[in-house]
């Protein structure tokens, strides 16, 4: 991160690539937020016809991009009662070499001795049917019919980067969360076949990513 001034206000810039491309979070005093927003949105290039350098994207565009990039949200895809191992972002957010911190014993025990009852996974639908958040997810029986409920959709979108495929995040029982597992999800009055993906990220990793 780095410290700077934005529209006269002290600001901290933190690199966070939530949408599959380089991104920066800006932390500054709440009372200065509106002025900083106006300053960023009013910047224009001196050349290229004076094109605006930054434009507001809105929730819809952000939600599409962050799901494609494999970025779950707190209070949307998991919550304050979720264990770190359930969130799908354990490797990016938890260090097992760090010193003491609140909840360390539970996290360390789960890592070394057990596994969570459920886990956030990415689902790709085989049909052109989009489930909504809150839709139940069912195991797929040998006859292709729905079996027992095994989870719940937390977020979903049509993915422009995947040819308008229907994709989603879902909190699934660990026994059904392995990559390649076939599941069934009610969607748009029908039933969509869903496959658990290897990672939360639907897009290819950028070149040079570790």
């Amino acid at each position: 991160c780095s410290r700077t001034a934005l529209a006269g206000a002290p600001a901290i810039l933190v690199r966070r690539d939530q949408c599959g491309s380089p991104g920066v979070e800006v932390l500054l005093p709440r009372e200065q937020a509106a002025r900083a927003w106006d300053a960023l949105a009013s910047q224009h290039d001196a050349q290229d016809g004076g094109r605006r350098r930054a434009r507001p994207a809105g929730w819809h565009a952000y939600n599409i991009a962050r799901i494609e990039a494999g970025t779950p949200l707190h209070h949307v895809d998991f919550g304050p009662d979720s264990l770190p191992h359930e969130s799908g972002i354990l490797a990016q957010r938890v260090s097992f070499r760090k010193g003491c911190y609140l909840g360390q014993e539970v996290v360390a025990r789960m890592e070394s001795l057990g596994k969570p009852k459920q886990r956030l996974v990415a689902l790709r639908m085989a049909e052109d049917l989009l489930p909504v958040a809150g839709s139940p997810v069912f195991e797929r029986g040998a006859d292709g019919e729905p079996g027992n409920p095994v989870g719940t959709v937390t977020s979903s979108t049509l993915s422009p980067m995947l040819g308008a495929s229907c994709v989603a995040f879902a909190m699934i029982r660990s026994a059904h969360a392995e990559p390649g597992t076939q599941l069934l999800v009610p969607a748009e009055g029908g039933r969509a076949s869903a496959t658990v993906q290897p990672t939360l990220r639907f897009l290819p990793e950028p070149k040079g990513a570790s």
Side-chain angles (χ1 to χ4, degrees), residues 53-134:
R53 292 184 176 182
R55 292 180 295 170
W59 165 254
H60 183 62
Y62 167 74
N63 195 53
I64 291 172
R66 65 100 183 172
I67 293 174
E68 289 180 328
T71 304
L73 294 181
H74 190 242
H75 287 300
V76 176
D77 300 297
F78 59 93
D81 295 329
S82 301
L83 295 172
H85 288 77
E86 298 174 340
S87 68
I89 54 174
L90 180 75
Q92 296 95 333
R93 301 296 177 85
V94 176
S95 171
F96 291 97
R97 295 179 295 178
K98 186 178 180 180
C100 295
Y101 56 87
L102 187 63
Q104 180 188 33
E105 183 178 348
V106 174
V107 174
R109 187 185 303 123
M110 178 69 72
E111 178 69 11
S112 60
L113 299 177
K115 64 179 181 179
K117 293 182 179 179
Q118 60 183 0
R119 193 153 51 89
L120 190 71
V121 301
L123 300 177
R124 186 165 181 174
M125 311 302 147
E127 293 82 14
D128 187 19
L129 298 171
L130 183 65
V132 298

Side-chain angles (χ1 to χ4, degrees), residues 164-186:
S165 293
C166 299
V167 297
F169 293 151
M171 191 65 75
I172 302 294
R173 293 180 186 171
S174 292
H176 302 273
E178 291 304 312
T181 301
Q182 299 292 309
L183 302 169
L184 293 173
V185 188

Side-chain angles (χ1 to χ4, degrees), residues 134-208:
S135 296
V137 180
F138 296 91
E139 62 181 352
R140 185 186 183 98
D143 57 358
E145 294 298 312
N148 295 321
V150 297
T152 305
V153 172
T154 61
S155 296
S156 64
T157 190
L158 290 173
S159 170
M161 299 300 290
L162 298 175
S165 293
C166 299
V167 297
F169 293 151
M171 191 65 75
I172 302 294
R173 293 180 186 171
S174 292
H176 302 273
E178 291 304 312
T181 301
Q182 299 292 309
L183 302 169
L184 293 173
V185 188
E188 300 187 37
R191 193 166 63 203
S193 302
T195 302
V196 177
Q197 302 299 290
T199 68
L200 291 182
R201 185 182 178 93
F202 290 98
L203 302 179
E205 290 288 348
K207 292 182 179 180

